[in-house]
């Protein structure tokens, strides 16, 4: 019997090459941009993508406070969290959260678009969100 030559090379964690991407959120729609960011964090744009490895790139998001949302979400969308104590349910509207912490709005949207598995926290750690144009990663971004 003749041996079959393997045409695809197996991917190992040592062969992962992480790049840096910068995304400007100025006048960009939150959901569409969050989808693009999630794809970059997963590494789905790479030709050797496999689901069981964390192959994604680093993503720097600037101008987070200038993002747009469609419809009346600025008034209607509410983020809730619970402190664990009786009466500890907190509700924060999108408009207020954009004023206080615009990075949390993007991080929450991207987190919801990533797969819910053990790689999620590692992928979110490579997401760097800044409210304005200043960021300390200028030397790493080559594009």
């Amino acid at each position: 019997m003749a041996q079959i030559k393997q045409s695809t090379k197996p991917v190992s964690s040592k062969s992962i090459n992480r790049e840096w991407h910068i995304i400007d959120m100025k006048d960009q729609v939150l959901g569409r941009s969050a989808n693009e960011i999630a794809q970059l964090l997963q590494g789905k744009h790479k030709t050797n993508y496999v689901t069981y490895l964390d192959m994604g790139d680093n993503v720097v998001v600037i101008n987070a406070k200038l993002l747009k949302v469609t419809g009346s979400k600025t008034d209607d969308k509410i983020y809730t969290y619970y402190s664990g104590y009786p009466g500890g349910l907190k509700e924060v509207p999108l408009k207020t959260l954009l004023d206080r912490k615009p990075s949390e709005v993007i991080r929450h949207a991207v987190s919801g678009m990533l797969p819910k598995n053990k790689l999620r926290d590692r992928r979110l750690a490579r997401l760097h969100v800044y409210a304005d144009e200043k960021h300390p990663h200028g030397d790493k971004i080559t594009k």
Side-chain angles (χ1 to χ4, degrees), residues 7-21:
S7 61
T8 57
K9 295 178 183 177
V11 180
S12 68
S13 59
K14 295 176 185 175
S15 66
I16 296 173
N17 183 20
R18 298 197 193 281
E19 296 177 8
W20 286 77
H21 301 276

Side-chain angles (χ1 to χ4, degrees), residues 24-81:
D24 190 358
M25 288 296 291
K26 186 175 182 180
D27 297 329
Q28 297 292 320
V29 179
L30 173 63
R32 294 177 188 272
S33 298
N35 185 22
E36 179 184 342
I37 294 167
Q39 299 290 325
L40 291 171
L41 289 174
Q42 288 181 73
K44 283 195 161 189
H45 62 287
K46 297 183 179 184
T47 56
N48 59 349
Y49 171 74
V50 289
T51 57
Y52 54 86
L53 287 177
D54 186 16
M55 305 186 66
D57 293 340
N58 294 291
V59 178
V60 177
V61 179
I62 59 173
N63 291 325
K65 63 183 178 186
L66 300 176
L67 64 85
K68 301 286 184 200
V69 290
T70 57
S72 59
K73 290 188 191 90
T74 50
D75 300 323
D76 298 343
K77 188 167 180 64
I78 296 177
Y79 293 94
T80 59
Y81 59 96

Side-chain angles (χ1 to χ4, degrees), residues 98-116:
L98 270 175
D99 292 338
R100 289 186 199 162
K101 291 183 179 180
S103 61
E104 283 301 310
V105 174
I106 294 176
R107 189 170 305 281
H108 188 272
V110 171
S111 175
M113 293 190 182
L114 288 173
K116 282 62 172 178

